[in-house]
Amino acid sequence: MRVTKTRANLMLLIAAIIWGAGYIFSKMATNANMQAGLINGIRGLIYAGLATSSSTKPSIR
């Protein structure tokens, strides 16, 4: 699969937004005095949900 320069830049922008959003939400959670274990637990549940939903989709070839 060939990726155009525009598509590559778009994917990089999306990755940066996701990466930055994680920092913002973590900062908001610590400012709300949430415990570190609870924050990590929520992050783990989100990851588990994303990991299981992506593994059940059929691959397109």
Side-chain angles (χ1 to χ4, degrees):
M1 175 168 134
R2 293 189 51 106
V3 179
T4 64
K5 185 176 181 179
T6 304
R7 185 176 174 110
N9 285 333
L10 183 62
M11 289 189 297
L12 182 60
L13 178 65
I14 291 170
I17 290 170
I18 292 170
W19 191 286
Y23 172 77
I24 291 169
F25 290 129
S26 294
K27 187 68 176 170
M28 288 171 55
T30 55
N31 287 341
N33 295 323
M34 288 178 70
Q35 296 179 356
L38 179 61
I39 295 169
N40 284 331
I42 292 169
R43 289 173 62 196
L45 288 173
I46 291 170
Y47 172 75
L50 291 173
T52 56
S53 68
S54 65
S55 66
T56 58
K57 294 180 182 174
S59 61
I60 299 172
R61 292 189 181 207

